[in-house]
Amino acid sequence: MTLPAHAETLFDPYAVRAEFPILSRQVNNCPLVYLDNAASAQKPEAVIEAVADVWRHSYANVHRGLHTLANEATEAFEGARSKTAKFLGAAGARQIVFTRGATEAINLVAASFAASLKPGDEIILSQMEHHSNIVPWHFLRERQGVVIKWVPVTEDGALDLAAYEALFTPRTRLVAVAHMSNVLGTVNPARRLTEIAHAHGAAILLDGSQAAVHLPDLDVSAIGCDFYVFTGHKLYGPNGAGALYAAGDWLDRLTPWQGGGEMIAEVSETGVVYADPPHKFEAGTPAIADVIGLGAAIDWVNALDRAAVAAHEHGLLERAEAGLKEIPGLTIIGRTPDKGAIASFVVDGAHPHDLAQLMDKYGVAVRAGHHCAHPLMQRYGLTGTVRASFAAYNTAEDVDAFLEALRKAISFLI
Ligand SMILES: *Cc1c(COP(=O)(O)O)cnc(C)c1O
């Protein structure tokens, strides 16, 4: 991630902050310090309004409508698809399938891919994956004898690329790895991972749940990956709306995973003709207002100077880690040089859950636990970490309040 030196001056986190109504509330008689952004981000007025506006003014079921409201809703829904395609750098809206989130998108790929996999075919995952990008592949292991291989994570929290390359065999069919880790903050070399997978004739899925929020220069076409997934609620959008990007003609080649209305061209007693992609993968009534809200979130994010936001978040991370390093017995987990704005750590003699609960007494919201990444916890011999994750609306004052609450929590416990 290269950041222009002047970036800091182009972005005002205090102005951004004012757009988020929830951030002005009090928690336990303290101003809210929200540092649980990697689990879900808060929503700006623009997104709240966009969703409310659908309910108030242009709500109807989408597609096939012959009346004005249905046409307006369809136009806004399909508009969100075009925005999503552009946001990711996809060739066109036809490459985008709306899902409930990253989890459903990965399940879609796994279920659709399953039809072409034979026992003994291999899938490569990494030790830093979120359970969303593990369990759907375990289904294929359990149900059809697919073999899962694991890219090891180095002590600093990087993927071991030499070990990655050594995992490929002629049976390797697919790689599924995080673009950015939700625990370590590590930004994996997406393009390099893709080149290596393709050189071995394997497809690659990237889990962009964190990267889509934090990387200013996301471009799936430049990466060249086959599949890319992300989830709207971490991108300041509503819950229940995310997307799958599939390159080239993948959506033509994959079989649909759920059947129902909206995904067919014709149904008879003896057969079914599927709709063209992407609709072939969108059975049933979608989360209409939430998808339109995702489009509004993308507009909102695009209106920011994203390089400046990344520089701002990086500055917050540095400030936080400088403070963390002064705390005796504290170890930061995830220390790769260009990592995203996530700080995970453990403190000798203090359970992560106890620390998080005590910090909440001072209005500081951090997450503690395994972060849906059991294999990564096992890799480090931990049961959990405390995680502070930063967003565009966080400030230096947030970081200082976080460090102060952490010091108080530690002195209470040790
Ligand atoms: C949050 C997250 C997911 C899952 O997203 P959902 O919205 O729960 O589907 C998957 N992978 C990573 C890296 C995440 O951070």
Side-chain angles (χ1 to χ4, degrees):
M1 187 173 7
T2 45
L3 305 168
H6 63 277
E8 200 74 49
T9 58
L10 302 177
F11 169 74
D12 177 3
Y14 299 94
V16 164
R17 197 180 171 78
E19 296 184 50
F20 289 73
I22 204 170
L23 295 179
S24 57
R25 68 162 279 181
Q26 303 268 309
V27 168
N28 296 323
N29 297 317
C30 299
L32 169 62
V33 175
Y34 188 77
L35 298 176
D36 194 17
N37 297 288
S40 204
Q42 300 297 347
K43 320 304 172 196
E45 213 50 272
V47 169
I48 298 169
E49 268 309 306
V51 174
D53 193 62
V54 176
W55 297 128
R56 289 207 177 97
H57 301 297
S58 29
Y59 180 76
N61 209 334
V62 289
H63 305 135
R64 306 173 319 272
L66 296 173
H67 59 79
T68 301
L69 288 186
N71 289 337
E72 284 180 13
T74 303
E75 203 172 303
F77 185 85
E78 292 303 324
R81 199 188 304 276
S82 303
K83 289 173 189 178
T84 304
K86 200 153 169 250
F87 176 73
L88 293 175
R94 199 175 177 279
Q95 321 293 135
I96 305 298
V97 177
F98 285 122
T99 61
R100 279 195 299 125
T103 302
E104 192 177 64
I106 296 168
N107 275 275
L108 185 165
V109 175
S112 299
F113 225 80
S116 70
L117 296 178
K118 297 182 189 61
D121 280 349
E122 296 169 1
I123 290 175
I124 294 176
L125 309 179
S126 91
Q127 285 182 324
M128 69 171 78
E129 296 317 306
H130 188 284
H131 293 162
S132 291
N133 197 25
I134 298 176
V135 182
W137 309 112
H138 269 314
F139 285 177
L140 303 189
R141 184 190 56 73
E142 288 179 345
R143 295 169 191 179
Q144 51 191 108
V146 165
V147 175
I148 301 177
K149 293 182 154 183
W150 299 88
V151 189
V153 169
T154 66
E155 193 58 29
D156 274 0
L159 292 185
D160 181 336
L161 284 188
Y164 168 62
E165 190 145 20
L167 290 177
F168 286 88
T169 76
R171 302 291 309 262
T172 310
R173 302 295 309 282
L174 184 83
V175 174
V177 291
H179 192 177
M180 173 176 159
S181 163
N182 66 308
V183 182
L184 306 165
T186 308
V187 178
N188 289 318
R191 196 160 164 179
R192 186 82 196 105
L193 294 168
T194 299
E195 284 165 358
I196 293 170
H198 286 172
H200 290 86
I204 183 165
L205 176 149
L206 294 172
D207 175 358
S209 302
Q210 299 294 334
V213 187
H214 296 288
L215 302 193
D217 45 8
L218 182 57
D219 184 344
V220 292
S221 298
I223 292 170
C225 57
D226 299 276
F227 304 104
Y228 199 93
V229 306
F230 78 101
T231 197
H233 67 95
K234 296 183 185 179
L235 190 74
Y236 312 103
N239 302 91
L244 164 70
Y245 156 82
D249 63 353
W250 270 113
L251 293 181
D252 297 302
R253 282 149 61 199
L254 291 178
T255 49
W257 76 306
Q258 288 182 336
E262 309 256 355
M263 55 79 73
I264 51 86
E266 208 180 307
V267 181
S268 70
E269 289 189 5
T270 52
V272 43
V273 179
Y274 303 133
D276 286 335
H279 304 290
K280 181 172 108 177
F281 296 94
E282 293 179 356
T285 302
I288 298 163
D290 297 325
V291 165
I292 295 168
L294 171 58
I298 288 172
D299 285 342
W300 185 83
V301 166
N302 281 339
L304 300 172
D305 178 336
R306 294 203 67 202
V309 172
H312 168 69
E313 291 176 351
H314 191 72
L316 297 176
L317 179 70
E318 281 187 345
R319 189 181 183 97
E321 293 202 339
L324 292 175
K325 282 174 186 156
E326 285 176 6
I327 296 176
L330 186 148
T331 308
I332 295 171
I333 309 295
R335 291 182 303 243
T336 51
D338 288 326
K339 73 173 189 169
I342 292 178
S344 270
F345 59 91
V346 288
V347 180
D348 288 345
H351 195 284
H353 285 171
D354 295 337
L355 288 171
Q357 270 171 7
L358 285 166
M359 291 168 79
D360 179 60
K361 301 270 174 272
Y362 304 103
V364 176
V366 292
R367 191 147 293 250
H370 54 67
H371 314 296
C372 298
H374 277 155
L376 187 68
M377 294 299 121
Q378 289 153 14
R379 154 69 183 83
Y380 284 100
L382 299 169
T383 54
T385 71
V386 181
R387 179 185 69 188
S389 48
F390 302 95
Y393 44 63
N394 290 124
T395 61
E397 287 78 8
D398 286 345
V399 173
D400 296 347
F402 152 73
L403 289 169
E404 179 66 19
L406 175 61
R407 283 189 289 261
K408 285 184 187 153
I410 292 172
S411 67
F412 191 83
L413 289 171
I414 301 176

